[in-house]
Amino acid sequence: MYILFAIISLTAMGLGLGFLLGLAARYLKVEENPLIDEIEAMMPGSQCGQCGYPGCRPAAEALVAGEAPATLCPPGGRALAEQLANKLSIDLDLSDVEDQVPMVARVDESTCIGCARCYKVCPTDALVGAPKQIHAVIADACTACGKCVDVCPTECLRLHPIKTTLRNWRWPSPETVTAKAA
């Protein structure tokens, strides 16, 4: 008898609280600017921090608020800066923006001492290794932010351009081709 009463009361309490949470979610919901979501979707999403913000979401919020220039994302380059400027309807000065070739960090194993400073600062966990052991870079995860290069005491980490192979070659989009022709 007591077990049945406990089951019924807990079920009623769960349904009542669930209903209250549903009402709270509907009426107390915080409305966000949908433009922030669109800008964030345009960005690379690597959360590398090269723009000075801790990730792509805060950078998108700063762009929409007008606190950051459209050229803030180095991995995005000129193409992303132009797309952001068009989306936000702002004037764009591309004089200081240069298109970068895709880069990746590489470890020179002959000088790596295994100090473990590099993988502590890597935002994408692209570096693997252990203290006092030689480290390696997972090329597919590396965003070439350069943070590991800056902290390496032996300068065994360097950024190198990615060689174009059949695996990573991409057909240029028509917008890129027409922009270069103009």
Side-chain angles (χ1 to χ4, degrees):
M1 175 77 174
Y2 292 113
I3 295 175
L4 185 61
F5 179 70
I7 291 172
I8 291 172
S9 64
L10 285 176
T11 302
M13 206 166 48
L15 288 173
L17 290 174
F19 179 73
L20 289 175
L21 283 173
L23 284 176
R26 177 174 291 157
Y27 293 111
L28 301 176
K29 159 171 93 170
V30 176
E31 294 291 330
E32 287 190 1
N33 189 347
L35 185 59
I36 295 173
D37 293 329
E38 293 176 29
I39 297 294
E40 183 184 11
M42 294 169 69
M43 299 183 100
S46 59
Q47 318 301 345
C48 64
Q50 292 183 54
C51 59
Y53 293 93
C56 292
R57 179 74 179 192
E61 291 170 353
L63 275 168
V64 171
E67 300 168 356
T71 58
L72 85 155
C73 184
R78 285 178 171 266
L80 178 64
E82 289 172 355
Q83 290 174 355
L84 292 173
N86 289 339
K87 188 72 167 176
L88 297 171
S89 301
I90 57 175
D91 293 328
L92 184 63
D93 179 25
L94 291 174
S95 61
D96 59 341
V97 177
E98 57 188 50
D99 269 336
Q100 299 176 355
V101 296
M103 306 278 272
V104 69
R106 290 205 183 114
V107 177
D108 181 8
E109 295 176 359
S110 64
T111 57
C112 180
I113 59 173
C115 66
R117 293 182 189 170
C118 55
Y119 73 80
K120 291 178 183 175
V121 298
C122 183
T124 60
D125 293 332
L127 287 150
V128 292
K132 298 184 182 176
Q133 292 183 1
I134 295 175
H135 294 74
V137 177
I138 302 170
D140 291 339
C142 181
T143 60
C145 66
K147 291 180 182 180
C148 58
V149 175
D150 295 338
V151 299
C152 183
T154 61
E155 298 178 0
C156 68
L157 279 160
R158 300 224 187 255
L159 293 177
H160 298 279
I162 297 174
K163 295 178 184 170
T164 304
T165 63
L166 289 177
R167 181 178 177 208
N168 63 11
W169 181 80
R170 299 285 183 259
W171 191 276
S173 67
E175 298 144 352
T176 306
V177 173
T178 57
K180 288 181 180 176

